Amino acid sequence: MTPMPAPLQAINDFVVKFANVNGSGSASANELFAKAILRMGVPVSPRNIFPSNIQGLPTWYEVRVTEGGWLGRRGGVDLMVAMNPQTWDADVAELSPGGYLFYDSTKPLPKSKFRDDVNVIGVPLTEICNATYDDPRQRQLFKNIMYVGALSALLDMDVPAIEQLIGEQYKGKEKLLKPNLEALHLGRDWVMANLPHPIGLRVAGADAVGDRIFVEGNAAAALGCVYGGATVCAWYPITPSSSLAEAFTKYCQKFRVDPESGRARHAIIQAEDEIASIGMVVGAGWNGARAFTTTSGPGISLMNEFIGLAYFAEIPVTIIDVQRGGPSTGMPTRTQQSDITMCAYASHGDTKHVLLLPEDPHECFAFSAAALDLADRLQTPVFVMTDLDIGMNQRLCAPFEWDDAAGYDRGKVLSAEDLEAGKEFARYKDLDGDGIPWRTWPGTHPDKGAYFTRGTSRNPQAQYSERGPDYVYNMERLLRKFETAKALVPQPMVLQSDLPTRHGAIYFGSTSPAMAEAIVALQADGIPLDTLRLRAFPFPDSVRDFIDAHESVFVVEQNRDGQMRSLLVNEFGIDPARLVPVLHYDGTPITARFIAGAIAARLRPAAKQNDGQEKVA
């Protein structure tokens, strides 16, 4: 018989996972739990894993308590709050040996439903609720708050911090405030009177949060668009990007309304579909407004023809793609980095688009604002490639920064004065050698600077032309523009190992938090790695230099086909054998344990292989 492992012992370094039913009202209680720990000065990294229906299907909320500051998923669960009988077996199986299983013990369960190597904590939540509340909905909602109270005793949490959060949530709603506080203490008092407490996992007050803020990437990107000067947003609802447009609406109502007249200084249109939304944004960009749309992979698929028009007619457009699992409908509420190649080459014919790759809400804010500048400067579509993991989960990040003295970069725009002074205007002619022509906005001058905007081939003066030399001139000029973009986009971040190494790793976007932790784990295991975090496409030459400096380079990404690796091979003509894919694509955010294990398995063939849901080729 295998001896029972010792109960896990940890202070401010463990993972709690809540298993609930969607629509049960658990989301606010689980978020309350995470924020209460944050109020104690201990960093948390929560992730909401939810189904794509309204209610009834399983949902999970994972909270990593991490005084060390690691904000990626670690892998493994130390405390499972198992509130969904439908997923019980899988939830129990996910627990680490010596971990803790918290459940509603109102109805007895057979011994076969438990594991011998975990610690079981039963609290009769339903029984307590039924004895206290008559209304069925109240019983469900307050049961969620009750288990937060129970956990506060088990984990030795600061109760005033929880009470303060509840008070803030229900400020001015005394009828809701009092019963929520009562439910909190019902759960806590029952544990205090009936169970040993605290358990081996504890939360101790710390000062590890600093000045960081706690915000979703979608809200951050929306605020970045406001600060970046966007006045037009056209969108169509799609998970997981809808909350970005909703946040932009909220911010515009605060910051884009004339205080004297009360008139809106913005236009936000929920279009009939994604095709209409991108069409409106292209029209607004042509007219001189800073405009954007937000969508996800299926929306990009529908937008391709208009994206090609904006590319060839050279109209500024910003597109924020909050990526999700595909193809087709795929997994609408799961995360992936699976739109990379589609966005880089969107539309038919020879196209190349600028992609910005933020790693967290801080960069969502900065890159969304920068995208509006780049779109104007380059006169082209610019994509901000975020994803569900960043967009819909709250994350600790550095405070947003903005220089009020910095003006917007509208690029090469001729004014009426320029035209009167005789400055040459040929809409599609490269006068400066950077591939970017000069443009005018409609109505700039009564009889100068006008041109016909077309998606067909034309000569440098914007006149229709099917002459081969005119077409080639424009296509090669567009490539020069793309080359110019290399110096304008956010540059990659390179981290050299303390020890000499022949191996490197390239990663980007939401993979970054888990990658940061994996690098440290590999270093401790005697596997040093140089790393490069991509922040944009086109790739600056420094990316090629990094690859050339290493015998092999791991490319870590969250899709099946190694899309970023393919982009690197395609753009640089690199031998594919030198780029080793590390791929994770089951819809959950990648973990530090997976990355470290996958790379170690390659560099140490005897290392344990992964379970097959992800692969290292």
Side-chain angles (χ1 to χ4, degrees):
M1 182 176 178
T2 305
M4 170 71 180
L8 292 178
Q9 303 284 327
I11 298 176
N12 295 348
D13 185 14
F14 53 88
V15 175
V16 181
K17 191 169 186 177
F18 298 83
N20 300 100
V21 175
N22 200 35
S24 64
S26 59
S28 59
N30 298 341
E31 184 178 309
L32 173 69
F33 171 82
K35 287 185 174 180
I37 296 175
L38 197 64
R39 287 283 176 95
M40 294 177 66
V42 180
V44 294
S45 179
R47 282 171 172 83
N48 193 12
I49 304 168
F50 58 99
S52 55
N53 73 337
I54 296 174
Q55 63 181 13
L57 287 183
T59 182
W60 294 269
Y61 189 84
E62 184 178 288
V63 180
R64 184 172 185 186
V65 181
T66 167
E67 187 174 351
W70 302 118
L71 299 181
R73 287 185 71 221
R74 185 199 68 186
V77 176
D78 303 315
L79 168 60
M80 178 67 72
V81 181
M83 303 302 293
N84 186 1
Q86 183 181 350
T87 61
W88 174 276
D89 292 340
D91 295 332
V92 173
E94 199 173 347
L95 267 169
S96 300
Y100 300 84
L101 173 64
F102 178 100
Y103 80 109
D104 182 354
S105 61
T106 300
K107 293 183 179 180
L109 294 175
K111 186 178 180 181
S112 60
K113 302 299 285 184
F114 299 94
R115 281 171 46 187
D116 293 334
D117 62 345
V118 299
N119 305 279
V120 178
I121 304 169
V123 178
L125 298 170
T126 300
E127 179 183 319
I128 299 170
C129 279
N130 289 347
T132 309
Y133 308 105
D134 295 324
D135 182 81
R137 185 58 176 165
Q138 280 188 328
R139 288 174 175 176
Q140 177 59 60
L141 294 176
F142 290 138
K143 182 166 71 172
N144 299 324
I145 301 298
M146 199 176 297
Y147 69 61
V148 173
L151 291 173
S152 73
L154 293 168
L155 300 175
D156 199 20
M157 294 171 61
D158 183 9
V159 178
I162 308 175
E163 293 173 333
Q164 182 183 15
L165 284 165
I166 293 175
E168 292 171 4
Q169 184 175 351
Y170 296 108
K171 186 177 181 180
K173 302 176 181 178
E174 295 302 321
K175 288 184 178 180
L176 294 174
L177 173 60
K178 185 177 179 181
N180 273 276
L181 290 173
E182 288 174 348
L184 177 76
H185 283 279
L186 276 173
R188 179 177 175 83
D189 293 346
W190 193 94
V191 169
M192 300 281 285
N194 295 279
L195 293 177
H197 59 277
I199 60 175
L201 307 177
R202 293 179 54 206
V203 183
D207 187 19
V209 174
D211 65 348
R212 287 180 291 179
I213 60 175
F214 195 55
V215 63
E216 290 182 352
N218 280 355
L223 192 60
C225 288
V226 172
Y227 273 76
T231 56
V232 176
C233 170
W235 66 292
Y236 183 76
I238 183 172
T239 301
S241 74
S242 295
S243 63
L244 198 159
E246 292 163 357
F248 183 72
T249 301
K250 180 184 71 174
Y251 291 133
C252 282
Q253 290 169 348
K254 183 175 182 179
F255 299 117
R256 288 267 190 274
V257 174
D258 185 86
E260 295 183 3
S261 67
R263 295 183 61 184
R265 296 182 296 184
H266 61 275
I268 301 171
I269 307 100
Q270 182 177 319
E272 62 266 33
D273 55 34
E274 288 90 348
I275 299 172
S277 66
I278 185 65
M280 293 175 186
V281 169
V282 170
W286 171 84
N287 202 43
R290 289 201 150 182
F292 78 97
T293 187
T294 180
T295 188
S296 192
I300 300 292
S301 296
L302 290 169
M303 293 178 181
N304 264 246
E305 189 169 359
F306 265 120
I307 293 170
L309 171 64
Y311 174 79
F312 202 49
E314 300 180 66
I315 298 170
V317 170
T318 295
I319 303 167
I320 303 177
D321 179 7
V322 190
Q323 298 168 90
R324 70 188 209 185
S328 188
T329 304
M331 295 193 293
T333 59
R334 300 292 188 266
T335 195
Q336 278 190 3
Q337 297 171 314
S338 55
D339 298 346
I340 302 300
T341 50
M342 174 174 68
C343 291
Y345 303 127
S347 195
H348 55 278
D350 294 323
T351 56
K352 287 187 178 183
H353 303 296
V354 174
L355 312 182
L356 306 186
L357 307 166
E359 69 165 351
D360 65 2
H362 178 86
E363 287 192 344
C364 284
F365 171 83
F367 286 12
S368 294
L372 294 159
D373 264 359
L374 286 167
D376 268 347
R377 175 82 177 267
L378 296 167
Q379 301 173 29
T380 196
V382 175
F383 291 81
V384 180
M385 304 297 294
T386 177
D387 58 39
L388 185 148
D389 186 31
I390 304 174
M392 294 192 71
N393 288 309
Q394 292 176 308
R395 191 77 55 82
L396 277 174
C397 67
F400 304 152
E401 299 172 352
W402 190 258
D403 182 2
D404 287 326
Y408 299 135
D409 186 348
R410 301 310 305 264
K412 296 181 177 181
V413 181
L414 290 176
S415 65
E417 292 75 18
D418 293 328
L419 295 169
E420 281 291 336
K423 190 165 185 177
E424 180 182 357
F425 175 65
R427 176 63 185 98
Y428 297 109
K429 185 175 182 180
D430 182 5
L431 297 175
D432 307 309
D434 59 4
I436 306 170
W438 287 82
R439 62 177 172 140
T440 57
W441 290 327
T444 295
H445 193 282
D447 54 22
K448 295 179 181 179
Y451 64 95
F452 192 87
T453 304
R454 61 176 81 245
T456 52
S457 181
R458 85 292 287 190
N459 65 17
Q461 286 72 37
Q463 298 166 328
Y464 179 79
S465 171
E466 293 188 12
R467 292 181 64 250
D470 287 338
Y471 176 78
V472 169
Y473 172 81
N474 269 306
M475 293 301 287
E476 291 185 348
R477 180 179 56 75
L478 289 170
L479 275 182
R480 285 199 301 276
K481 180 198 292 191
F482 198 68
E483 189 71 20
T484 298
K486 289 183 178 181
L488 301 178
V489 298
Q491 298 299 295
M493 306 291 287
V494 176
L495 180 64
Q496 299 287 345
S497 170
D498 294 335
L499 300 173
T501 178
R502 298 172 298 160
H503 306 287
I506 290 176
Y507 61 100
F508 62 97
S510 64
T511 303
S512 299
M515 188 70 198
E517 185 176 3
I519 294 166
V520 174
L522 287 165
Q523 178 87 19
D525 199 27
I527 304 176
L529 276 182
D530 297 331
T531 60
L532 180 145
R533 177 166 70 89
L534 293 168
R535 300 205 296 163
F537 174 74
F539 305 126
D541 293 338
S542 58
V543 178
R544 177 61 187 262
D545 295 340
F546 180 87
I547 295 171
D548 288 345
H550 296 89
E551 180 181 300
S552 63
V553 176
F554 296 92
V555 183
V556 183
E557 50 188 313
Q558 299 182 75
N559 57 69
R560 184 195 69 181
D561 294 339
Q563 294 184 24
M564 187 62 77
R565 175 178 177 269
S566 296
L567 208 57
L568 289 163
V569 170
N570 191 51
E571 292 298 312
F572 289 135
I574 293 169
D575 177 4
R578 296 186 58 211
L579 298 180
V580 183
V582 177
L583 308 176
H584 176 284
Y585 49 89
D586 68 357
T588 63
I590 197 168
T591 68
R593 288 181 177 177
F594 169 72
I595 296 172
I599 293 175
R602 175 77 181 201
L603 298 181
R604 291 180 179 168
K608 184 179 179 181
Q609 297 293 326
N610 61 76
D611 63 8
Q613 287 189 344
E614 304 96 0
K615 67 181 182 181
V616 183

